Amino acid sequence: MTITTASASALVPTASASKYLQQLCKHWEHNLQVEYTPENGTVIFPKDARGADHPGDAVVTFNVAETGLDVRIDASSDEQLEGLKGAVARHLDRFAFREAPLRFDWE
């Protein structure tokens, strides 16, 4: 169950948005609920992931934009949101090592 109380989004500038979106989704589909195409993807992080106890699941959405990768996180708590902002940034930077660190201007 998803209960959204905290959200953030960022447009991450990159010419390889589709490539990174697919790499992230393939990486996470091994142990999370993931749906994706070359243009967009959704990853659900369970409320009890890694021993956490958040009020609800979080949803991370990726969309390829003209100037980069649009990332949106809908979380059930501020703590969950902050943790996922860090996890998404670390994973994206790992896949984008030639461009890293990528710029995340969270709103």
Side-chain angles (χ1 to χ4, degrees):
M1 173 202 238
T2 303
I3 304 168
T4 303
T5 61
S7 297
S9 60
L11 178 59
V12 182
T14 178
S16 301
S18 179
K19 175 183 173 184
Y20 299 150
L21 177 156
Q22 292 177 74
Q23 285 179 307
L24 278 170
C25 289
K26 285 177 186 175
H27 172 74
W28 277 324
E29 77 179 339
H30 297 291
N31 57 1
L32 298 171
Q33 184 179 339
V34 176
E35 293 182 18
Y36 69 97
T37 68
E39 294 81 32
N40 53 56
T42 303
V43 181
I44 297 176
F45 289 84
K47 65 182 186 175
D48 57 357
R50 297 186 172 242
D53 186 24
H54 299 292
D57 298 341
V59 178
V60 179
T61 307
F62 302 100
N63 290 294
V64 174
E66 194 171 305
T67 59
L69 184 60
D70 186 39
V71 181
R72 179 177 174 87
I73 302 171
D74 293 301
S76 64
S77 68
D78 290 335
E79 178 185 62
Q80 186 182 35
L81 177 66
E82 291 306 312
L84 285 172
K85 283 166 55 174
V88 168
R90 283 190 307 276
H91 281 79
L92 254 176
D93 278 346
R94 189 178 318 148
F95 291 122
F97 63 92
R98 288 184 177 91
E99 297 182 66
L102 296 173
R103 192 176 80 237
F104 288 82
D105 292 329
W106 295 105
E107 296 179 7

Coordinates of all heavy atoms in Angstrom, one line a residue, residues 3 26 39 50:
I3 N 1.2 5.2 0.6 CA 0.7 6.4 1.3 C 1.7 7.5 1.1 O 2.7 7.5 1.6 CB 0.6 6.1 2.8 CG1 -0.3 4.9 3.1 CG2 0.0 7.4 3.5 CD1 -0.2 4.4 4.5
K26 N 16.6 -2.6 -14.5 CA 17.0 -4.0 -14.6 C 17.7 -4.4 -13.3 O 17.6 -5.5 -12.8 CB 18.0 -4.2 -15.8 CG 17.3 -4.2 -17.1 CD 18.3 -4.3 -18.3 CE 17.6 -4.2 -19.6 NZ 18.5 -4.1 -20.7
E39 N 11.3 4.5 -22.3 CA 11.0 5.9 -22.0 C 10.6 6.2 -20.6 O 10.7 7.3 -20.1 CB 9.8 6.3 -22.9 CG 10.1 6.4 -24.4 CD 10.1 5.0 -25.0 OE1 9.2 4.2 -24.6 OE2 10.9 4.8 -26.0
R50 N 14.9 -3.4 3.7 CA 16.1 -3.3 4.5 C 15.9 -3.1 5.9 O 16.5 -2.3 6.6 CB 17.1 -2.3 3.9 CG 17.5 -2.6 2.5 CD 18.6 -1.6 2.1 NE 19.1 -2.0 0.8 CZ 20.4 -2.4 0.6 NH1 21.2 -2.3 1.6 NH2 20.8 -2.8 -0.6

